[in-house]
Amino acid sequence: MSPSTHPESAGLHPTSPRPGGHLSLVSVGPGDLNLVPQRAREALMRADVIVAYDLYLRWVAPLLDPARQEIVTLPLTQEKRRAEVAIERAAAGQRTALVSSGDIGIYAMAGLVFEDLPDPTPFTVEVIPGITSAAACASLLGSPLTHDFATLSLSDLLCPWEWIEHRASHIAQADLSCVLYNVQSRARQEGVYRVLRLMLAHKRPDTVCGVVRNAYREDQEVRVTTLEALLDDRFDMLTTVVIGNRFTQRRGPWMFTPRGYNAWEADRDAPTAGTPAPQTPAATEPSPDHAGRVWVFAGTSDGSALAQAIAGDGLPVTLSVATALGASVAPQHPGVQLYGGPAGVQARRLALRGARAVVDATHPYAQAITAQLRALCADLGVPYLRLERPASLEPDPADLDGLSVVDDLNAAAQAAARGGPVFLATGSRDLEAFWTAFLAAGGQGEQVFVRLTPQPDVLARALALGVPARNVSALIGPFSREFNEAQWRAQGVRTVITRDGGDEGGFDAKRLAARALDAHLIVLRRPAPVPGAFSDPQALRRALLDLPLPALRGPLETA
């Protein structure tokens, strides 16, 4: 049999085999023996020497013969030495297999081998492909990588962190689906959150994401969540994170990205009620209809009321809404136009050029959008005004009788897991993170009650998590003390978790209802207010009227 057709030479560099040994760079996939490719199996069984990290050897132990084969193991941090040993053994005339998890050519050992190969090489080399972590995790999540995607390692051991952030930002701007490798180690805790915040600057908070730990191995964990919820999550080096693009959808426990054969919708989450919102795939130039207007970003009912009042003052308003529900409850006023276009920072940068002012009336806890709007306005020279609901609690409240203030959802879940039936009154964006932390703390899922906005995707996500349908209320607030008290009494609630959204957000009604039931009220600590924020809508409107009209430039002069 000629070298070009012998099974051993399949995949070799297209040159004549040289005398000496043979080096197989063997990919063994995610850790399930059933997923080890046949060529990899054959290479392992034929080898005289096996070089590997000991964990990988445990996965393929049934294929090895320690009585005949020399097994060389080196610690996880000695990848370069493993490559050197494999080259030395092959150069000495031995049939050698260098083993790697996943695909040996992706974030793995093959590159190290080729760096050190002598030229000319006195032995033959083959690279045997395998199932990558990206492919393995994607298969467990559904089909999130159906269209263009990128992979990004968050390990800065061999790559400057500045490069990682630079690449993350460009991946997000391109709206690519993305697979994050080496997500979080004991020594590298904060990097993943910096990358997630970069993603949030260009992707929607509700972008569908997946988290997989120990894919196809013992203790496997798989779940679908959102980009914003990942900020409250904890990971490790056994975890892979898959971030979707803006077309990625959730279907039951799965996530998938459409291939696009039947033409993607331009923006599947764009509002449908009221004035039609732009339906372009990406913002390229702001509509002249929106130039010279006051942009109001409203995540609260009082924010929408403020938009209508500003229009009543004679100022044209563009009201930015994030969902179809937001559009359906938006004020119907001839001076108010709705905008529900792309939510990324670059799209907003284009849309806000030429704006008279930006009024940020988003929720007091919505720090990501507030930080983004402040930075954009400073960069564009657009006046920024913030309306912030007054808090009900002091800025640094001590724990009071029947009330505790905690820093995050993990702390809330830890406390709630010991307190009987719990009512989560913080909204749908917190549900995934709270549910995960609550169960991890030993809480029982059937004891969690939630109140969510009546949006099909929001309700579907709650049910997919495992929240019992009988424990889900689909209502739009705020709610009175009497309503809260009646509902919680009927559900036997002993713990209530909420945010300090002020009286307008129904906080005082929750507090009084919890007190009447002698229930423990857990409050997530409120972020520090934005300097110079208005608490009085009328004062903000007066300040707005005093602003000069912007000098419009270029294509916006006709607006």
Side-chain angles (χ1 to χ4, degrees):
M1 185 177 287
S2 68
S4 63
T5 59
H6 195 285
E8 292 178 1
S9 65
L12 301 184
H13 193 277
T15 59
S16 298
R18 299 180 175 90
H22 177 79
L23 178 56
S24 298
L25 305 182
V26 181
S27 308
V28 297
D32 185 334
L33 187 61
N34 294 322
L35 298 180
V36 177
Q38 182 61 28
R39 279 188 56 203
R41 292 168 176 263
E42 294 172 356
L44 291 173
M45 291 187 288
R46 287 198 303 263
D48 303 315
V49 181
I50 308 287
V51 183
Y53 172 51
D54 59 1
L55 174 63
Y56 308 154
L57 293 179
R58 293 202 294 271
W59 298 345
V60 295
L63 305 177
L64 308 181
D65 182 2
R68 178 183 64 82
Q69 297 172 312
E70 179 186 0
I71 310 294
V72 181
T73 62
L74 290 164
L76 187 61
T77 56
Q78 295 190 24
E79 286 85 359
K80 188 168 180 61
R81 181 55 188 152
R82 266 184 268 149
E84 292 170 349
V85 169
I87 291 172
E88 291 167 2
R89 294 293 201 274
Q94 294 177 294
R95 179 175 294 279
T96 304
L98 177 62
V99 180
S100 175
S101 63
D103 184 298
I104 198 166
I106 298 177
Y107 296 121
M109 298 292 300
L112 290 174
V113 169
F114 284 105
E115 283 182 21
D116 290 343
L117 275 182
D119 189 10
T121 305
F123 51 85
T124 53
V125 180
E126 65 174 333
V127 181
I128 300 175
I131 298 174
T132 68
S133 178
C137 294
S139 72
L140 293 170
L141 291 166
S143 185
L145 307 181
T146 312
H147 212 271
D148 300 333
F149 70 94
T151 62
L152 181 68
S153 170
L154 303 192
S155 173
D156 58 355
L157 293 177
L158 303 174
C159 176
W161 181 256
E162 292 76 14
W163 293 12
I164 295 172
E165 288 196 352
H166 181 73
R167 290 166 179 173
S169 180
H170 281 78
I171 288 169
Q173 289 180 52
D175 194 33
L176 293 173
S177 296
C178 179
V179 183
L180 302 182
Y181 283 64
N182 302 315
V183 175
Q184 192 173 47
S185 67
R186 285 192 296 270
R188 179 173 37 80
Q189 291 286 305
E190 292 304 315
V192 59
Y193 304 113
R194 291 168 64 175
V195 167
L196 292 174
R197 283 190 285 270
L198 285 172
M199 294 284 172
L200 278 166
H202 303 279
K203 291 176 176 282
R204 291 180 172 175
D206 62 352
T207 298
V208 180
C209 298
V211 179
V212 180
R213 187 175 186 276
N214 279 326
Y216 290 100
R217 301 198 291 272
E218 188 178 357
D219 300 326
Q220 172 182 287
E221 299 174 13
V222 182
R223 56 191 172 84
V224 177
T225 182
T226 64
L227 181 56
E228 186 175 52
L230 289 175
L231 287 173
D232 294 319
D233 217 332
R234 292 293 181 270
F235 313 96
D236 58 22
M237 292 292 282
L238 302 177
T239 302
T240 302
V241 174
V242 179
I243 298 173
N245 67 22
R246 67 191 182 94
F247 299 102
T248 304
Q249 302 173 39
R250 184 166 187 164
R251 186 66 50 83
W254 307 95
M255 61 184 289
F256 74 97
T257 301
R259 180 66 181 89
Y261 289 122
N262 299 316
W264 281 340
E265 296 176 14
D267 195 332
R268 64 182 180 87
D269 289 327
T272 55
T275 305
Q279 295 289 305
T280 54
T284 55
E285 197 67 48
S287 164
D289 292 338
H290 294 290
R293 303 174 70 87
V294 176
W295 281 70
V296 178
F297 290 80
T300 59
S301 56
D302 41 324
S304 294
L306 176 62
Q308 183 166 349
I310 293 171
D313 291 334
L315 298 178
V317 172
T318 294
L319 177 61
S320 180
V321 292
T323 64
L325 178 63
S328 69
V329 298
Q332 300 298 312
H333 190 285
V336 177
Q337 291 185 0
L338 297 188
Y339 176 84
V345 66
Q346 295 304 324
R348 287 196 177 111
R349 183 188 304 278
L350 290 169
L352 291 176
R353 279 181 9 201
R356 176 166 182 161
V358 166
V359 174
D360 177 6
T362 58
H363 197 279
Y365 287 79
Q367 292 179 281
I369 181 63
T370 290
Q372 184 187 116
L373 291 176
R374 293 180 70 189
L376 278 175
C377 288
D379 188 38
L380 295 171
V382 174
Y384 170 89
L385 297 90
R386 168 71 167 155
L387 178 68
E388 193 154 309
R389 292 171 169 177
S392 294
L393 300 177
E394 294 296 323
D396 244 340
D399 285 359
L400 305 173
D401 184 31
L403 183 150
S404 300
V405 179
V406 298
D407 290 328
D408 54 39
L409 286 167
N410 283 327
Q414 290 283 342
R418 302 185 298 269
V422 56
F423 191 94
L424 183 67
T426 62
S428 61
R429 290 184 177 179
D430 291 335
L431 177 56
E432 171 89 15
F434 174 80
W435 178 263
T436 302
F438 182 78
L439 296 183
Q444 302 299 311
E446 62 270 16
Q447 291 197 319
V448 175
F449 295 85
V450 295
R451 196 159 56 198
L452 307 173
T453 53
Q455 300 174 85
D457 59 326
V458 170
L459 299 176
R461 288 199 298 270
L463 297 178
L465 277 176
V467 181
R470 63 181 178 277
N471 291 9
V472 179
S473 302
L475 299 165
I476 299 176
F479 306 94
S480 67
R481 178 192 65 79
E482 293 79 9
F483 185 95
N484 287 330
E485 184 177 340
Q487 181 176 16
W488 298 344
R489 188 186 302 279
Q491 294 169 332
V493 168
R494 302 306 307 147
T495 302
V496 177
I497 299 173
T498 188
R499 299 180 183 273
D500 181 2
D503 190 34
E504 294 88 346
F507 175 79
D508 293 326
K510 297 172 191 173
R511 183 176 182 179
L512 291 172
R515 182 182 297 170
L517 297 173
D518 196 26
H520 182 199
L521 185 66
I522 300 175
V523 183
L524 297 178
R525 193 178 304 279
R526 184 164 172 161
V530 173
F534 293 87
S535 59
D536 179 6
Q538 293 187 358
L540 185 147
R541 288 162 55 195
R542 288 194 295 270
L544 198 56
L545 289 169
D546 290 338
L547 292 175
L549 282 169
L552 304 182
R553 301 182 298 277
L556 302 179
E557 289 179 347
T558 58

